Amino acid sequence: MADTLFQPLVLGGGALRLKHRVVLAPLTRTRASEADMAPQSMCAEYYQQRASEGGLLISEATNISMESCGYHRAPGIWSEAQVSAWRCVTDKVHDKGGYIFCQLWHIGRVSHPSWSQHPLLAAAKASGAPMPSVSASEVAMPGKTYNVYPEGSKGPNAAPRALETAELPRLVADYRHAARCAMRAGFDGVEVHAAHGYLLDQFLRTGTNHRTDRYGGSVENRSRLLLEVVAAVLEEVGVGRVAVRLSPTQPGAFDFFGAGDENHMDADGCNVTYRYVVEQLNAKPLAYLLLTEPRWTGGRQDNDAEKDPGFNMPITNSSTYRKIYKGVLMAAGGFVPSTAAEAVAAGGCCDLVAFGRWFLANPDLPKRIQAGAPLNHYRRATFYTHEEEGYVDYPDLAGSVGQAGKYALIDASALVAPKAKL
Ligand SMILES: Cc1cc2nc3c(=O)[nH]c(=O)nc-3n(C[C@H](O)[C@H](O)[C@H](O)COP(=O)(O)O)c2cc1C
């Protein structure tokens, strides 16, 4: 069955010639340098370890501008220092015959105004550069946040500044600039992150978008900013080099940063907001559309993979939107090798599967899946630390990278109870 994951696939009208369907999902790993928010040499090593001949990696979410920042030690892609640091990463991936897309990120209200004290931002603030935190409307996230500057502090979420209509072309230009930087850094394409309750998703969702201009209200208006960004980035980097990530809400799904959406599901089981967006994306020559499966729990069961209900829950988003989206569809969230192989089999619900937690813990995941080999168990405690541990020390089967024997092994077939198989 795993064979279905090892069928070639041409993306972007020939721009990418994949040899298999096992993709590295975008994963924030917070190992960039503090001072200039650029990837460090261990980041190049991490991506190199996970690259494979004809395999696709998606970078961690990467800030498009100073205004977009808010996660400690997440990288950016707007400055020359960042472009040259990312070049070291992309060169290493290409040396192994792999491809890598850059995920373009603006976190919007998930940031905190204290971020303007970061030395890199403070210098620019003095000359009037836009600062965090902004959103579609002045709706604060519920609860407290760790995205406070400096690192280690925690505070109540502040209401973001609502972006003015007149400055939205500037925002689109920021995405365009970041996309240009990404291509100069050697990326094979860019993925517009419009999922998980970050800025573009804040415009899509009624809970966070209360605007009365042409970017708020109707679904056409709430989708406008995303579609303008996609059009601009496509114009900048070219056909087949742009992808989009969405996380359509399903009833009872994980609620990303409290960004609610009151829109209903239609008779096909589609949230009407996302149905409209996906239909619009059909007209764009994308490399792929990545959908987050709502069965991903966002971390609560990460300490005990065997008990993660995501692995035993049906795939909902990609099977639903497969009927609407005409291009290459990628799914992520709660996949194990067997469910991934079924998902891409003939008549399945997607063309590619992005693995998050299993790929971060298994640098040679495609090889392990092909061989039916056991997987290194991931360790959540080091997902977001800033050191090499939990980042570049997961071993491969060949014993050429990482520390052999450091992580417990798990038989992947044990992760899906037979009765709950898809
Ligand atoms: C440590 C970690 C960091 C993540 N960072 C990002 C990110 O930067 N961008 C993004 O779109 N999704 C991010 N996600 C979500 C993953 O891309 C993926 O959808 C999720 O891990 C579910 O897939 P899995 O069950 O294979 O782990 C992250 C998930 C984890 C566990």
Side-chain angles (χ1 to χ4, degrees):
M1 189 60 165
D3 287 357
T4 61
L5 292 170
F6 295 89
Q7 303 301 318
L9 183 70
V10 176
L11 291 192
L16 280 77
R17 296 181 178 276
L18 302 188
K19 295 205 166 141
H20 62 79
R21 315 293 183 94
V22 181
V23 176
L24 174 69
L27 293 167
T28 294
R29 302 306 312 280
T30 62
R31 265 76 172 184
S33 65
E34 165 70 20
D36 53 8
M37 302 187 201
Q40 309 190 87
S41 55
M42 67 170 148
C43 307
E45 188 183 344
Y46 166 83
Y47 285 104
Q48 180 185 36
Q49 289 176 348
R50 281 153 188 77
S52 61
E53 179 76 30
L56 174 62
L57 310 182
I58 307 170
S59 81
E60 62 212 269
T62 302
N63 291 296
I64 60 160
S65 63
M66 295 189 196
E67 180 194 74
S68 74
C69 298
Y71 279 84
H72 298 281
R73 308 287 291 272
I77 184 74
W78 72 81
S79 73
E80 287 309 305
Q82 292 159 353
V83 168
S84 54
W86 275 115
R87 171 61 79 175
C88 302
V89 174
T90 60
D91 280 350
K92 286 204 183 318
V93 172
H94 293 148
D95 285 349
K96 285 181 75 179
Y99 298 102
I100 181 163
F101 266 44
C102 181
Q103 194 188 48
L104 302 181
W105 197 34
H106 189 313
I107 72 172
R109 71 173 193 159
V110 180
S111 189
H112 191 270
S114 55
W115 263 81
S116 63
Q117 293 162 33
H118 186 292
L120 195 60
L121 276 65
K125 187 181 180 185
S127 50
M131 293 286 121
S133 70
V134 297
S135 187
S137 302
E138 281 178 27
V139 183
M141 282 196 302
K144 293 195 166 183
T145 179
Y146 283 102
N147 287 0
V148 173
Y149 193 86
E151 187 164 16
S153 15
K154 183 180 178 188
N157 285 298
R161 179 177 72 81
L163 285 158
E164 289 173 24
T165 314
E167 64 183 318
L168 292 177
R170 187 267 301 162
L171 199 90
V172 173
D174 287 346
Y175 275 94
R176 185 191 277 272
H177 171 74
R180 189 181 316 140
C181 289
M183 298 312 277
R184 286 181 49 231
F187 282 99
D188 298 287
V190 297
E191 179 183 293
V192 175
H193 192 346
H196 304 169
Y198 294 116
L199 182 72
L200 293 172
D201 209 18
Q202 289 159 28
F203 271 77
L204 290 178
R205 290 170 181 262
T206 56
T208 40
N209 185 341
H210 300 171
R211 300 176 75 92
T212 53
D213 63 1
R214 55 194 208 96
Y215 292 89
S218 65
V219 60
E220 291 81 0
N221 284 355
R222 284 181 280 116
S223 312
R224 193 180 305 283
L225 182 62
L226 167 60
L227 296 174
E228 286 180 357
V229 166
V230 171
V233 168
L234 261 169
E235 200 177 270
E236 189 62 43
V237 310
V239 170
R241 301 273 177 192
V242 179
V244 173
R245 183 169 206 179
L246 296 171
S247 50
T249 306
Q250 302 278 341
F254 179 63
D255 186 11
F256 297 100
F257 301 112
D261 183 66
E262 69 193 14
N263 283 288
H264 62 273
M265 312 295 283
D266 64 17
D268 296 327
C270 297
N271 174 313
V272 294
T273 298
Y274 293 92
R275 179 184 197 112
Y276 174 81
V277 175
V278 172
E279 282 169 350
Q280 295 301 304
L281 291 177
N282 272 331
K284 312 274 186 201
L286 300 182
Y288 61 86
L289 171 65
L290 168 55
L291 296 180
T292 304
E293 292 296 341
R295 63 195 184 143
W296 175 49
T297 53
R300 283 186 285 273
Q301 277 75 24
D302 277 346
N303 291 324
D304 193 352
E306 290 90 335
K307 292 190 185 145
D308 189 329
F311 302 137
N312 291 325
M313 279 164 64
I315 300 164
T316 49
N317 272 342
S318 49
S319 55
T320 305
Y321 293 89
R322 168 84 291 177
K323 297 176 202 112
I324 301 168
Y325 187 59
K326 310 285 181 238
V328 171
L329 192 63
M330 187 189 300
F335 283 93
V336 293
S338 60
T339 52
E342 288 175 48
V344 300
C349 61
C350 59
D351 305 295
L352 295 159
V353 173
F355 287 87
R357 293 164 291 172
W358 293 119
F359 216 151
L360 76 81
N362 292 276
D364 53 348
L365 184 66
K367 265 194 189 151
R368 286 181 194 246
I369 293 177
Q370 199 161 25
L375 305 178
N376 296 319
H377 208 306
Y378 46 78
R379 200 172 286 171
R380 185 169 182 84
T382 50
F383 278 3
Y384 302 111
T385 45
H386 306 322
E387 290 79 35
E388 295 195 349
E389 184 175 15
Y391 191 51
V392 290
D393 62 355
Y394 287 106
D396 66 359
L397 283 174
S400 51
V401 306
Q403 278 182 43
K406 177 160 182 180
Y407 295 90
L409 290 169
I410 185 166
D411 176 359
S413 62
L415 292 170
V416 181
K419 61 178 171 33
K421 268 196 171 177
L422 297 169

